[in-house]
Structure formats: C-alpha cells, structure tokens
Amino acid sequence: MNVKFNPKTHILEIEYQFRDVEEPNLFRNIYPYNEVPRLVFNHRIVPMNVPERLYITDTTFRDGQQSRSPYTVDQICRIYDYLHELDNGSGVILHTEFFVYSKQDKEAVLKCLEKGYDFPKVTAWIRAKKEDFEIVKSLGIKETGILVSCSDYHIFKKLKMTRSQAMKQYLEIVSSALEAGIIPRCHFEDITRADFYGFVLPFINELMKLSKEAKMPVKIRACDTLGLGSPIPGVALPRSVPQIIYGIVNYGEVPSEWLEWHGHNDFYKAVINSTMAWLYGASMVNTSLLGIGERTGNTPLEAMVMEYIQIRGSADGMNVAVISEIAEYFKKEIGYEIPPMTPFVGENFNATRAGIHADGLMKDEEIYNIFDTGKILGRPPKVIIDAYSGIAGIVIWINRYFKDSGIDIQVDKKDPRVQKVKEWVDSQYENGRNTSISDEELKEVVSRIFGL
Ligand SMILES: CC(C)C(=O)C(=O)O
C-alpha cells in the first residue's frame, strides 16, 4: 500500500499494490469447499454513508433469462412497459440490461428503444470482445456491462490466466469501450471470493485513471456471484458487504453514482446485502423481477422497492401497485409459478389460516397485516379456510366475497347462515379432508346457503 499526501486536496491518497500471485488465493480458511463456508471476523467497523440518491437497476432480461427459457419479444416489451409504469417518471428504476446477439435480442432492444422511455434506460451486456462494441453502438445504446471476473477462482481456474494477464485484457477492453464512446459498466464477477487489496482495488485504481483520461464514467458493478456476501458488522473481507462498498468508494475513489451491487440469494441474503450496499455507499442495487435469476435467484426488484420506501420514507413517485400487476402477468401470461409465501407477490403473502388470527383481522385488519396491502398493493389481507380457520375466518371470507361481488350484506359470527357454512366446513374435515377449501367451493356453498 502506498500512501501519498495530496497537498491540493489535503487528502491522504492510498494506492493499493497489485499482487501478481503464482498460486491462486482461494481463501481456504473461509471457503474450504468440502464444508460450508465460514464467517471470519476482523472486527473492522466502517461508517455508513448513504448516497444522496438511491437507484434500483434491473437484470430481468439478462441474469433473469440465464435461469429460464427466453422470453418472447412481446413478453420483453410488455415487461419493459411494466418497469416503466412502476418507475412512473421517478427515475428510481434507472436501467435494465439486454443481450444483443440474436435476431430476437436485437428486435427486443429496438422495440424497447422505440418506446422512447427515459426510465428504465436500455443498456447492454456483452462478452467483452472488441467487435461487440460495434453492435452496441449500432443499436444506439450508451452503456454496456462487461464481464471482468475478479476472483482467482475465475482468473486461474476458468480463464487459465494470471492476475496480470487478466487485468491487461480487461483494461484493453474497457479502453476500447471508452474509445467507442460507450460507458463501460465493469461487472466484477465473484468479488466476495476475490483478493480485495491485492487485485480488486489496484484494478479499480487503473479503471479510474482510464475514466479520468477519457473524461467518461467507468461504472463498477460489485457482483456477489454465489451469494456469499455478509451484512454482519465486523465480518472480514472478502465476504463483508459494508467493507467492500466502503473500500471501493473511499480507497478506489469511485463516486457512489457509479457503483452498483449485484446480489444472489444462495444464503438468503440477497435483500439485506443489497440494502447494506445502499447504506454503505453504492447508489445502485441490481435486481430482477420476482428475483428470477441463476440458481436461487437475484435480489427481487419488488423487495428493493419496499426497502427504498422504508429507507426514504416515500416511494418518491413510483407506482407501487404495479408490482401486483407484474405478478399477475408472470402467473397468467408467462406461466411462472410464484411460491405462495413469497413476500409482496405470493398468493398467500398476507393470508392467514389460523382462526385466532382471523379473529384479530375481523376486529381490526391492522392487527395481522404488515401495512394497508389493499391500498398500497391492491391486495387486501385474506383468510384461507381449513380446519383451523374457525367461525371468524368464515365471517371474513363471506364478507369479503359479498363486497367483491357488489352484494350489500355483511354478516357476523351469530348469523345462523354462517353457522351452517361452518357446519359444512367441519363436516369436510370430520370426513378426512386434509386440504384447504378453495374459493370456488366456498362460493358454491355460500351461494346455496344464502340463496343467491
Ligand atoms: C455474470 C456475472 C456478472 C453475474 O451476473 C454475477 O456475477 O452474478
């Protein structure tokens, strides 16, 4: 590490020395591979530093499509419309990224560009070959993602290179992007298994020099490729999300507005790690709709909308109810099965089966609902009727059914007709049923008993 005093800025400038190792550093004390990875603590606490603006970026069409069969051009265009409707002119849903290789990829990009939306911006994702910049340029795209894998797992085992060879190749490709007038967004693949001070920071120092020379931004996407990042204060690098983000901003001198976090959910940490990235200095968190992405998925976009509102105290103009429309579209038009317990979008995210909870809901919805999900997401809380929902559950179900059907009746627990419905439900379970009762079945029984 070189420390220089800059007399102009009165700042101590730290330059981390590049380490060109002969053997890969695989952090075996943390990642033994034949055992579950470990959390090692260095007890270093770095300060929070929330950027002035927070953004959500999207990879539904890139990482999302790497984990499922491709969307059709029409589906891409419709999903892009939904992202735009959700953004609603706020500029929070900053950009999304597209493949640009096949005829279909190009058609989708051109159709989305034709829409002329300011947000989300259309950006590309390329293989980091010089000729690919021509494709990006010919499509009129101004920013592209470029893969710059940074752990020795990738450099030594996948690319079969040394660190200096990899860095040379990456810097050449970034220079070509800048020469072509395209903003490079460098995807630091596998940063949570990389040598932060020996490779990541010295490489970032070089990238920032290129940026200064070209007078163009060079953006950094910190990719937690296997979801190994940790939000826990005092956890050592390379797993600590706060220390990675703090280091890139303070030692790499990357402006927050150029820094993005890309998370995966392998250890259930995609959301909290993305939130930590925001809180410690990255303006952008990269997400995908419904979290659809490789393996356990990416950070769900809808979750970060909720995180944004909780941090900022406002949606800043985003049209949050569009989240429910997007979920319906994925279910009905794309045939994607959303696990029912998925927060904010799953069928049962605000449903209760327990009679005791239904009783609470009947007294005051607030008792068992996270917020006014009816107002904010167009999804009022609901009860699922089974052996445990009790009479209170049945009352809520019937009253909601009447309300939704425009019937001006509200019942209570003492209504004899409700008792009859309860007897029918009980008889189902006395006769050995072990599944819940569907809305369709209940509609039929209620209509019969109420003479509708
Ligand atoms: C391919 C890379 C950039 C990625 O998506 C990841 O690291 O998760």
Side-chain angles (χ1 to χ4, degrees), residues 250-285:
N250 290 283
Y251 308 138
E253 295 183 29
V254 176
S256 288
E257 299 265 324
W258 298 359
L259 181 56
E260 186 179 22
W261 177 260
H262 169 95
H264 279 268
N265 203 32
D266 300 72
F267 286 83
Y268 281 113
K269 298 280 191 297
V271 174
I272 183 62
N273 282 341
S274 302
T275 306
M276 295 303 265
W278 263 345
L279 296 179
Y280 284 83
S283 267
M284 297 173 281
V285 294

Side-chain angles (χ1 to χ4, degrees), residues 73-86:
V73 172
D74 281 350
Q75 286 169 342
I76 291 179
C77 290
R78 186 65 194 105
I79 295 169
Y80 183 63
D81 284 340
Y82 276 128
L83 288 169
H84 175 70
E85 287 163 28
L86 174 58

Side-chain angles (χ1 to χ4, degrees), residues 295-307:
R295 301 180 315 281
T296 55
N298 295 107
T299 311
L301 184 143
E302 59 282 5
M304 294 318 290
V305 170
M306 292 298 172
E307 293 290 284

Side-chain angles (χ1 to χ4, degrees), residues 202-420:
F203 178 35
I204 287 180
N205 288 152
E206 293 308 311
L207 289 173
M208 291 304 106
K209 284 182 200 158
L210 289 184
S211 162
K212 264 190 203 128
E213 276 161 32
K215 298 194 178 50
M216 277 176 70
V218 172
K219 298 191 181 175
I220 309 292
R221 180 181 287 184
C223 298
D224 183 17
T225 305
L226 291 177
L228 295 160
S230 171
I232 301 172
V235 160
L237 284 166
R239 295 192 73 179
S240 166
V241 179
Q243 289 179 42
I244 291 173
I245 299 299
Y246 176 87
I248 295 177
V249 172
N250 290 283
Y251 308 138
E253 295 183 29
V254 176
S256 288
E257 299 265 324
W258 298 359
L259 181 56
E260 186 179 22
W261 177 260
H262 169 95
H264 279 268
N265 203 32
D266 300 72
F267 286 83
Y268 281 113
K269 298 280 191 297
V271 174
I272 183 62
N273 282 341
S274 302
T275 306
M276 295 303 265
W278 263 345
L279 296 179
Y280 284 83
S283 267
M284 297 173 281
V285 294
N286 189 237
T287 63
S288 69
L289 284 170
L290 310 179
I292 300 170
E294 287 224 83
R295 301 180 315 281
T296 55
N298 295 107
T299 311
L301 184 143
E302 59 282 5
M304 294 318 290
V305 170
M306 292 298 172
E307 293 290 284
Y308 182 100
I309 299 169
Q310 290 180 83
I311 293 171
R312 290 292 195 218
S314 160
D316 285 338
M318 281 184 283
N319 184 356
V320 179
V322 173
I323 288 174
S324 303
E325 290 177 42
I326 293 174
E328 279 307 295
Y329 181 80
F330 270 80
K331 275 194 284 186
K332 299 220 168 98
E333 302 298 325
I334 297 185
Y336 178 72
E337 258 180 60
I338 304 176
M341 73 292 275
T342 310
F344 315 120
V345 288
E347 190 57 32
N348 296 344
F349 90 88
N350 59 350
T352 182
R353 288 169 193 263
I356 186 143
H357 291 179
D359 210 39
L361 270 182
M362 205 165 66
K363 290 186 178 118
D364 186 338
E365 186 184 295
E366 256 186 85
I367 300 172
Y368 280 113
N369 203 15
I370 51 173
F371 51 74
D372 189 345
T373 53
K375 174 173 159 241
I376 295 166
L377 289 168
R379 301 266 314 264
K382 62 175 203 174
V383 283
I384 296 169
I385 304 301
D386 67 10
Y388 305 107
S389 6
I391 191 120
I394 293 170
V395 167
I396 294 179
W397 191 96
I398 294 174
N399 284 340
R400 179 133 307 133
Y401 169 59
F402 284 148
K403 200 167 157 213
D404 292 348
S405 316
I407 300 169
D408 190 20
I409 313 177
Q410 292 288 281
V411 296
D412 61 28
K413 285 185 190 176
K414 291 189 212 94
D415 190 311
R417 294 167 299 181
V418 175
Q419 289 295 340
K420 281 209 173 108

Side-chain angles (χ1 to χ4, degrees), residues 24 61-62 104 170 237:
F61 308 130
R62 205 271 301 164
Q104 266 219 339
Y170 298 156
L237 284 166

